[in-house]
Amino acid sequence: MKSNLFVFLRNKSVLTIFFGVLLILALVNVFLPQAMATATDMLLSEVRISPAVTSPNLQDNPSFETWTSSTLDEPWFDANDDSIVDVGEYCDYDSSGTRTTYSQALFSTGSLSILPLGSTCGTFTEETTDPYVDTSAIKMATGASELQTITNVVGSQMSVSTSTEYTVSFYAKGESGSEKIYLTIYLKDGSAVEYNWNFTSGAFDAYSEIPSIDQSNLFTLTTSWARYTYTFTSDKTGSMALSFSSGTDGALLGRADTTNMTIYLDAAQVEAASAATTFMSADTASATFLELYNPTDSAIDIDNYMVQYRKASDAWAEFGAVTTTTNVPSGGFYLIKASGGDQTLTDETAFDVAYNASSGNMAFRVCTNSADCASTVIDTLGLASSPSYEGVAFDLSSWDTSMSFERKAYSASTVVTMSSGGGDVIAGNGYDSDVNTDDFVLRTTPDPQSLASSVEVYVAPVSTTTSSAGNQKAAQDYYDELIRQQEELLQEPDLPEVNEVPAIDETPGETEIDQTVPETDIEKIVPVVESTVPILPTEKNIISEALSLKNVVLLISRLPFGSDWDSVHFLSYGLNGLQDGYTQRDRVGLLNDYYNTNHDLPRNESDWVNIVRMADGLIPNEKVVESERRAIEQFVRIYKRSVDFSNKSDEKFVHMLAYGLRVQDRDLQQEQKTLTLYVSVFERLPDSSYHWSVLRAMAYSDVQ
């Protein structure tokens, strides 16, 4: 709903309305404070909650890894039950009827044995080209009229108990589709009596070599990996073994033909559960960690500091405490981790239990006095519906335990800019507006850092006043309303032409970002000064200033104030000393690169001279060490070697990227060629001014 002021102005002339909008924007600019989120003590900078998980899998070596080559006697099947190896009862008998030995690939641990049920053997080999999980699977290939079985050997069988429900699951696929695999379950009780599971009656029966086939244990495969399951309740206690059979023997496995079969088997799991859970080949160790960051300009001794956690509304518990003199340098980190780090989590088991009972509704806080934590809290992070948080708790709807919560470097930082290759990746974690959901991003690739890690110098954004995050939001909301009102005004059919609007120092506006101003408007701009400062025209271009204002607001995340308006004028009208041919889009790129390097807008003539030097491909008069360090990191990432500053090309790359330097004559073919290399390194196209600077540095530095 429009304010009364706007309703009143609507009844006046369009020109009066426009002046009213400008006046209100000026008042907002003067009276609404601008936010600057900074901290004066240690901050929670990155947190990952990933408790240890015990695998429910009873199957030994379930993903069929660790193969080795062994020499074995030919396996055989006692067809006539005389306990004698007769000719025709083993795989590849020779003309003399002698049982020989042969090499067969087996597992070095958790072995499975092979049992041929036909006149000749098929082959079992390690499949490494396309396993379902990890690096190996079983490939079973049988000849015509062959049936072959693989089963658990003694020592890798599983203990089961009576009246307990178990679920067997495995992944399989066929070479051509429609192949069948036959599951059998064997058990030997405490008296060494053997049994087969009867899939029809649902009980263990007396042992037989080939139990009757039931549709519940005969699975038809496709050419893609798929999971197959069977659930049963054991009526006996003992050692259980699984058996998987493939191949064909007439109609034994439901196939009318006797052609060769090739199937693949992987990821077997047996668990005491009513349904199959996520496959796990082994227990998973805890990956939980909590990282602290020093955003101040001096070292902090964190002796006696404590980090606590709480589950939902339960009492706070100790996550980790520092008990000795520990100086964290400016821009440095301190890491508490389940294993490793600067210290280990105080009680991992208790923490894991709390997490599993909390559904993620947890909170963390850091305090400066472990004896009185509640009264000395300096930072808090709350998740989901935890009752402890700052501003608004962080939402968990997109989170899982493989991710981490990382504090931003600046208000405009994103998960892209904070991740590897991003513009803020080494800018620290110093943004603190006291609103958890605004201060953190969700990382898919956690990056815990410790005292031994490189420092990341945080440079606080420049602001004329301080304010709460609430005031910042109020200013932004007011600005959005003004822009919406102005859009309506600009659509009025009787809006005055641009050259009819008298000159006003501060003109708001709204249009599409990076849209180039029409040449007809640019021609009306007449510079009135000749120093290296943004041009002030004798006639205003309202459309140009509207576009420029929006770009500046997006860059600094607040309304322009004081000398901020010089940047609006620069984007709108240019800069004395700037080479001809620079469009408004080009100027937006220059300003973005300057801001990324200096973390502030240009404030004086010296700063604007550096803008001109950037455009001319010259390094600024004052070096920015942190920007050069960031450029060096990108150099190492791209070229896989250190920078040689005696090499002019290496030095040129660092300077071009660190300061966003331009070239006088662009070579579009060279840039297109370089784009291929860029994508091979970063696996995406450039999507920010910083990454376009990376591309330019690669294209024009001639690094070999």
Side-chain angles (χ1 to χ4, degrees), residues 227-304:
R227 196 178 201 185
Y228 303 92
T229 66
Y230 178 75
T231 300
F232 69 100
T233 300
S234 177
D235 62 341
K236 288 182 171 52
T237 296
S239 297
M240 184 181 76
L242 303 181
S243 174
F244 300 97
S245 299
S246 68
T248 181
D249 187 5
L252 181 61
L253 292 187
R255 288 172 63 98
D257 61 88
T258 58
T259 56
N260 298 352
M261 292 178 62
T262 300
I263 72 167
Y264 302 86
L265 180 69
D266 203 358
Q269 182 153 299
V270 179
E271 53 193 309
S274 59
T277 61
T278 301
F279 172 76
M280 290 186 64
S281 59
D283 295 347
T284 300
S286 172
T288 296
F289 70 83
L290 186 145
E291 172 193 289
L292 300 176
Y293 174 69
N294 178 3
T296 71
D297 57 5
S298 59
I300 297 177
D301 181 4
I302 60 172
D303 183 18
N304 203 34

Side-chain angles (χ1 to χ4, degrees), residues 171-285:
Y171 285 83
K173 68 174 183 175
E175 187 79 27
S176 58
S178 78
E179 294 89 345
K180 296 180 184 293
I181 192 166
Y182 169 46
L183 169 68
T184 52
I185 302 173
Y186 299 95
L187 181 138
K188 183 181 291 187
D189 66 14
S191 301
V193 178
E194 295 182 277
Y195 300 89
N196 297 124
W197 180 257
N198 188 316
F199 288 85
T200 302
S201 65
F204 279 108
D205 291 343
Y207 175 79
S208 64
E209 291 287 350
I210 304 178
S212 60
I213 294 176
D214 183 90
Q215 289 303 309
S216 60
N217 66 320
L218 184 62
F219 304 95
T220 302
L221 309 183
T222 68
T223 56
S224 299
W225 285 109
R227 196 178 201 185
Y228 303 92
T229 66
Y230 178 75
T231 300
F232 69 100
T233 300
S234 177
D235 62 341
K236 288 182 171 52
T237 296
S239 297
M240 184 181 76
L242 303 181
S243 174
F244 300 97
S245 299
S246 68
T248 181
D249 187 5
L252 181 61
L253 292 187
R255 288 172 63 98
D257 61 88
T258 58
T259 56
N260 298 352
M261 292 178 62
T262 300
I263 72 167
Y264 302 86
L265 180 69
D266 203 358
Q269 182 153 299
V270 179
E271 53 193 309
S274 59
T277 61
T278 301
F279 172 76
M280 290 186 64
S281 59
D283 295 347
T284 300

